[in-house]
Amino acid sequence: TKSVTGMINMSGKVMGMHEDVEKNKQEIYSRGSPSHAAEGLKYGFTDLANSVKGGVTDLWKKPIKGKQEEGTKGMWKGVGQGVAGLVYKPLHGVASLASNTLEGIVNTPDAVSRHIKDKRLKADGAQGSAELLPEADEAEPSSPNFSACGSLQLHLQYISLMGTARA
């Protein structure tokens, strides 16, 4: 999905929207990667909404800017850029939604693992013990599905912790 987003960014630069593309890239890189699926959806829908808004506002901003800078020729150039932005920007937003959501899904097991560690350390901290169950990476590598087993173990630990927290 990053390559799709990259291709869309490149096409935006070709269509004369390099300033908008660079501003969008800086905003995305400054916030970092989504740490879990819900955050990925949040980032993705935020990008989609901003992209649709940007595409719609380009319809009137680009011709005005073009008229101020280059006269009538610039206005028509701005009309073309505005129409292109109306198509390009929402397309970029959809690609960003897909990219952020998938990245969040990929990062979810790590977020669950960190959450479990934090809960265990807090619970064990009162007793002076910080003993944790082995990580998925510490499972027996000779097992063909050791990472899947570790992930399942983390999910089961998370469920058991949530049950004891409510009790």
Side-chain angles (χ1 to χ4, degrees):
T1 57
K2 290 288 183 189
S3 61
V4 171
T5 307
M7 286 186 339
I8 292 172
N9 280 341
M10 183 63 75
S11 65
K13 288 180 181 180
V14 169
M15 291 189 290
M17 295 180 213
H18 55 277
E19 295 166 0
D20 297 336
V21 169
E22 290 304 316
K23 180 181 172 193
N24 187 30
K25 280 173 57 175
Q26 288 174 357
E27 289 173 8
I28 289 170
Y29 289 129
S30 68
R31 73 173 177 222
S33 297
S35 60
H36 50 77
E39 193 170 66
L41 284 168
K42 177 182 139 190
Y43 288 174
F45 278 112
T46 300
D47 289 350
L48 178 60
N50 289 336
S51 296
V52 170
K53 176 184 163 194
V56 171
T57 57
D58 274 359
L59 277 175
W60 60 272
K61 278 188 172 182
K62 295 287 184 178
I64 292 171
K65 183 179 177 185
K67 174 81 172 162
Q68 291 171 345
E69 292 177 358
E70 298 178 37
T72 306
K73 181 182 175 186
M75 180 190 74
W76 288 110
K77 189 175 169 182
V79 168
Q81 287 178 343
V83 171
L86 185 62
V87 173
Y88 160 77
K89 287 187 175 184
L91 181 62
H92 183 270
V94 168
S96 182
L97 171 63
S99 176
N100 280 300
T101 301
L102 290 174
E103 191 171 2
I105 289 169
V106 167
N107 292 337
T108 296
D110 291 336
V112 170
S113 176
R114 283 190 305 274
H115 182 74
I116 290 170
K117 282 182 182 178
D118 291 347
K119 286 266 189 194
R120 288 242 166 137
L121 287 173
K122 287 178 184 175
D124 292 341
Q127 300 167 353
S129 169
E131 186 176 319
L132 298 173
L133 290 177
E135 291 292 318
D137 296 343
E138 297 171 4
E140 185 59 41
S142 60
S143 168
N145 295 323
F146 77 96
S147 63
C149 293
S151 180
L152 177 61
Q153 180 185 18
L154 288 175
H155 290 292
L156 292 174
Q157 289 175 6
Y158 179 75
I159 291 168
S160 69
L161 281 173
M162 295 309 290
T164 57
R166 291 182 188 156

